[in-house]
Structures are given as C-alpha cells and as structure tokens.
Amino acid sequence: MGQLHTEDVRRAILDGHTALGIELGSTRIKACLTTLDGETLAAGGHSWENSLVDGLWSYSLDEVHAGLRSAFAELSADVAERYGTSLESVGAIGVSAMMHGYLAFDESGELLVPFRTWRNVNTTRAAAELSEALDVNIPLRWSVAHLHQAALDDEAHVADIARITTLAGYVHELLTGERVLGVGDASGMFPIDPATGDYDAARLAAADALLSRAGASHLRLSDVLPRVLRAGEPAGRLTDQGAHVLDGSGTLRSGAVAAPPEGDAGTGMVATNAVTPRTGNVSAGTSFFSMIVLERPLANRHEEIDLVTTPAGDAVAMVHCNNGASEIGEWAAVFREFAAAIGADASADDVFAALLSGALERGSDDGLLAYNHLSGEPIAGLDEGRPIIARTPSSRLSLNGLMRAQVRGSFATLSLGMRTLADEGVEIDGIRAHGGIFRTAGVAQRLLAESLGAPVTVGETAGEGGAWGMAILAAYTRAAAETDQPALSDWLDQHVFADEQATTLTPDPADVAEYAEFLDRWSTGLEIERTATRTMK
C-alpha cells in the first residue's frame, strides 16, 4: 500500500466511511473493517471454545461480551498500527454468528437457561414431530426444535419465556436495542415463506398447536420470535450503550447504520458472491456446509437437506455437517508441538501448509480411513462422534496419506448430502468455496471439486470469512439507506466483485470416479464409528 493510498484510507477511517463486520464463530470471534466497496483495512479476533454445561454445548454471555471487546480491541490496535489513527467511528456495522441454537429470555431480559448452541443434538423427538406436522425438514439444531424439546421435557423455564433469538440476534440487540433478525438467520429458527419473506404463517399455527399439546399453550411463536428483515433494510443504529459494549475506552462513537444480523451461512454466501439461482458455496470451518440457491422447490422432503434462504430471502438448499476442519486443526497442532520439541520455529500457517502440500498424492491414503466426527452427525447417522484414523495392516502410513485421508474424510459427509440434491435434479453451474482451509492454494480446493464432482472457484477473499461478508452486508445497508440500490446480487457484482481475482479448478472425471469409490468405502466404514461410540466412553 503506497503512501497516498494510506492517506486516503486514514481519511476514510476518520470520516467514518467504513463498514465493520463482526462474526461469532465456533472457535473465533472476528472483527473486520472494510471500505464501503469491500477492501479489507484491518482485522481483529478473539479465540474461544464451547463448553459442556449440564450435558449441553454452550458459551456464557460473559464470554460473548469479553470476546466482542477483545476482538474489537485487536482491530483498533491494527488500525492504529497500520494508519496511525484511532478508530473513533464507522459508517456501517453488522453482526453475524453461528446459526440456530437457543437463547431464551424472560420479560425483563434475563437469560433463562445457558445458551444452547447448534452443536446439541438432544432434540430428536421435537425435530421429528415438527418435521411431520409442518411437512418440512426441521433439523435437530434449529431454534424451534430446541424450544419444542424444552416444552416436551417440561422444563421449568418454558413458563417464563418472553422471547427467543439466535446469538447474532442477541448481539445485535446489545449494539442497537433492536430485536430483529436477517431473513437468512431467521430461516434457521423457523421456516420462511419465500412469497412473504417472513415466517410461514400456516406452519406457525401448526407449531403453536404442537406447543400447546406439549403443555406450553401460553406461547405464540409470532410473539417470541424476532422480527424478520431482508438484506438492505435498516436494522437500527449503533447506540451509545452498544458502542460501550464493543469499546470500553469510550473512543468509539455511536450512530453507525446497522445491517440486519445474519447467520454464518448467509455471510458465507455473500463472501463468495453465491446468492443467485444455480450458484452455490461451501463454507469450511468448524462445521462444513453447502448452500445451493434453488431455481424451484425440491420435490420431496429430505432429512439431510435444510431449506433456508439467502440474506435477500431467496430459497436455498443447505447441507449442514456438524463437523468440519477441527480435527485437521488438531493434527496440525500436534505437528507444530513436535516442531517446537525439536527446536524448529514454525507458525500455525507454516505447519498447515506443509501438512496439506502432499495431500494431492494419489494412492497415498490407500487402506486409510479418517473420520472427523467430534460430535453427532445426522447426515452420517451418528448420534455421537469419535474422531478416528483406521487403516488396514498392509497400508503404508505416510504424512501425505494421513493428510489426504483427513481432508477427503472431512468432505465425505458433505458429499453424502450433495448426492441427495443431485438425485433431486438440482443443477449447479459451479461451487464457490471459502474458509481458512483454502488459504493453502489448490489443495483443499481440488479435493473438494473431486468430492462434489463440480468446478470449485476460490476467490482472493476466500480466507476472509464471514466477518468480511458481514461488513459487505453492512455496506450494502448503508448504500440502500442513502439511495435506491439494485438487488443484492447486482450490487455485489458491481461494487465488490467487479475486479475479483479468482481461480477455478475443474475436476478430472477419473478423480471424481475414484472419490466415489472412496466414499463408498468410507460410508461402509461408518460402522467403525458406531462401534466406537458404544465402546469408547
């Protein structure tokens, strides 16, 4: 960045011509500051981990507050170091977070039970009842499934529920005082009617009837769910109290235009510019999921397919895998520990790149099977997870083979779900991918293309992730507030991705066929996992 450019950026920061995106992911809270056309200016982050509370995965609200402030402080320090100025204001702000889950509050705003994240799979009965009554797949992790399960279990707190929301909705209310939700995140709480862009009225009535039969007749979902907004619609402004939540020093001023809070799936679609029909994206992080924007409704209901929406409200088929790249990260940490033990100085990125570099070696994982399931995985038919490496006695164990098995195995559950969409006749022009695993050029991208049997494009923003995508949605909201703007997809093409640098890899048919054979072996080997969940306690 040249001096003139630095001065231009400093002026933009001082004038508040910027957008701030915050995303609360499973292991990192990230903050990203961009120009209003998407150029990344600074970033900050905070590491955190979920914990088991009374047998359920959770994060405390104290951790949420501390993590937000830590991520923003690191972002502010980055601004000061790069541009020699403090971050006193932003022009637009947006929050995204892990979708689904369950945050229940009483009339006074007190949290009734610890936050229940998407990772919990204790809602089997509720999800089955809702799916049957509503004639749409309601996954275990959806907010309405958590609420209905709490009613079925006669939990005491249900009597005091005044509202429920997602993590993004909670943080947005902290910052703005507005109890709203972007339509993409809302579609992971309860089904959306594409015609209205709001919760499906007939299905709300059916779900209310189920709640009544479960002993919660006082609840009406239309009262307890957040109000739904589409991308570009104003969702309030950063308040004085909200600015203090982010920045305890009092430097950050209030007033930024706020975008509707979104889920990590929606920001992934924006970050990859995959928001129009026949486009799709894969987001690779702690969980893996694909989002395919539909041309027409699916013919049948499928347990492995969620029907959600883009941030603009268009129908999307989502294949969500609870388990993603975490196990690869665990192995990378082991090898980094080994490097330190022999006196080698290697960064996490260095280790990760070295491990992945040989994963394209064909045949290196012959006789090896890797399962990345740290938790239950409905698509694979697993109620619990056990990370496993298994191999035949005649197989050769090598670094390349180990990592090839890990990466291909981590994509396998996603491949099973995508097979269902292919059988439905869903056509996809191409897949765009993002997430940290794609920072190592070409490796995970090629293996993903082989696993899906479709071209995979990775743009220069592939490693930016959801915080960047949320900043883009915030910038779009600001632009829409100032003047009439085109549809989100057109605005992205014109203002953000017009000069994008991207690479597309088309898989070799022979590699696609070889992966299909691997997937059959991997699927058969799931019995190893089921045995492990019974015997490894």
Side-chain angles (χ1 to χ4, degrees):
M1 181 178 292
Q3 184 63 33
L4 180 61
H5 193 186
T6 300
E7 290 299 325
D8 291 342
V9 171
R10 183 182 291 113
R11 176 50 52 192
I13 292 171
L14 290 172
D15 292 343
H17 293 162
T18 53
L20 172 61
I22 299 168
E23 181 155 283
L24 295 94
S26 299
T27 59
R28 290 277 289 170
I29 299 174
K30 298 179 182 179
C32 180
L33 187 72
T34 73
T35 64
L36 295 176
D37 59 1
E39 181 181 351
T40 299
L41 303 178
H46 172 81
S47 296
W48 68 342
E49 290 287 347
N50 55 194
S51 54
L52 275 172
V53 179
D54 297 329
L56 296 173
W57 293 106
S58 182
Y59 303 83
S60 75
L61 296 193
D62 286 343
E63 289 178 296
V64 172
H65 287 244
L68 287 170
R69 190 162 290 186
S70 174
F72 184 82
E74 190 171 287
L75 172 77
S76 298
D78 193 26
V79 168
E81 181 178 348
R82 288 172 183 255
Y83 311 112
T85 188
S86 58
L87 183 57
E88 298 179 3
S89 67
V90 295
I93 189 169
V95 177
S96 65
M98 300 170 279
M99 288 179 68
H100 320 298
Y102 182 69
L103 280 156
F105 298 89
D106 65 14
E107 195 64 47
S108 65
E110 290 297 315
L111 185 68
L112 294 170
V113 289
F115 170 38
R116 297 173 181 179
T117 78
W118 58 270
R119 176 166 273 177
N120 294 296
V121 292
N122 63 309
T123 57
T124 302
R125 181 183 169 193
E129 287 189 7
L130 287 163
S131 297
E132 184 64 28
L134 276 57
D135 193 28
V136 64
N137 182 42
I138 302 295
L140 302 180
R141 64 190 180 282
W142 277 31
S143 305
V144 69
H146 284 280
L147 173 61
H148 189 56
Q149 189 66 51
L152 289 172
D153 293 341
D154 197 25
E155 293 193 38
H157 81 272
V158 173
D160 297 320
I161 290 175
R163 56 189 175 88
I164 66 171
T165 191
T166 65
L167 183 55
Y170 168 72
V171 174
H172 182 88
E173 188 170 356
L174 279 180
L175 301 185
T176 68
E178 299 288 337
R179 191 168 71 88
V180 299
L181 211 58
V183 63
D185 203 18
S187 69
M189 294 191 80
F190 193 86
I192 297 292
D193 181 351
T196 65
D198 205 344
Y199 303 116
D200 188 299
R203 290 184 166 115
L204 282 174
D208 284 345
L210 283 182
L211 281 171
S212 182
R213 288 200 291 273
S217 58
H218 63 291
L219 290 178
R220 291 291 180 272
L221 285 170
S222 57
D223 295 330
V224 302
L225 292 170
R227 182 164 59 94
V228 180
L229 297 174
R230 296 177 191 248
E233 293 188 286
R237 289 182 177 271
L238 180 66
T239 64
D240 290 342
Q241 182 180 357
H244 184 73
V245 167
L246 291 177
D247 180 19
S249 73
T251 301
L252 180 66
R253 298 193 299 268
S254 59
V257 173
E262 266 299 346
D264 49 1
T267 56
M269 284 186 279
V270 171
T272 54
N273 196 21
V275 295
T276 56
R278 296 176 64 98
T279 65
N281 84 296
V282 168
S283 181
T286 304
S287 63
F288 284 172
F289 51 83
S290 63
M291 308 287 290
I292 310 300
V293 188
L294 298 174
E295 291 183 287
R296 55 186 177 275
L298 299 181
N300 301 291
R301 169 160 56 99
H302 303 279
E303 289 186 3
E304 62 270 45
I305 306 297
D306 305 359
L307 295 178
V308 292
T309 77
T310 70
D314 296 309
V316 171
M318 179 183 191
V319 178
H320 185 280
C321 308
N322 286 350
N323 299 274
S326 294
E327 185 65 6
I328 298 174
E330 294 285 348
W331 280 98
V334 168
F335 282 106
R336 190 180 184 195
E337 185 179 343
F338 173 75
I342 61 173
D345 183 16
S347 70
D349 281 349
D350 290 339
V351 170
F352 206 84
L355 291 177
L356 287 183
S357 64
L360 294 178
E361 183 185 342
R362 292 181 178 88
S364 60
D365 60 340
D366 288 350
L368 274 68
L369 290 175
Y371 297 94
N372 65 327
H373 304 119
L374 289 160
S375 63
E377 192 62 79
I379 293 177
L382 298 173
D383 294 328
E384 298 180 59
R386 298 291 187 274
I388 286 175
I389 289 282
R391 67 188 185 97
T392 60
S394 60
S395 64
R396 182 176 67 90
L397 186 60
S398 66
L399 182 60
N400 289 353
L402 175 66
M403 297 314 298
R404 182 173 174 85
Q406 284 286 355
V407 177
R408 295 215 299 173
S410 69
F411 289 146
T413 306
L414 184 68
S415 301
L416 292 178
M418 292 294 286
R419 277 184 172 180
T420 300
L421 289 182
D423 292 342
E424 272 269 3
V426 174
E427 296 183 0
I428 308 168
D429 292 333
I431 296 288
R432 299 179 65 93
H434 81 126
I437 194 172
F438 298 108
R439 287 204 302 266
T440 302
V443 180
Q445 181 182 4
R446 183 171 297 282
L447 292 176
L448 178 62
E450 293 170 6
S451 71
L452 301 182
V456 171
T457 299
V458 174
E460 59 186 355
T461 59
E464 299 282 4
W468 182 80
M470 194 64 236
I472 298 306
L473 284 172
Y476 178 63
T477 302
R478 176 181 164 115
E482 295 176 345
T483 182
D484 290 338
Q485 290 295 322
L488 175 63
S489 57
D490 294 333
W491 186 85
L492 291 173
D493 287 339
Q494 296 166 15
H495 293 276
V496 180
F497 292 99
D499 300 317
E500 180 194 26
Q501 300 296 311
T503 59
T504 300
L505 291 178
T506 300
D508 187 298
D511 290 328
V512 174
E514 197 271 340
Y515 186 88
E517 294 176 358
F518 160 82
L519 186 60
D520 288 340
R521 295 195 303 274
W522 185 93
S523 299
T524 301
L526 282 170
E527 191 59 34
I528 303 169
E529 284 276 275
R530 297 186 184 100
T531 301
T533 61
R534 293 193 303 269
T535 58
M536 293 178 66
K537 300 296 183 180

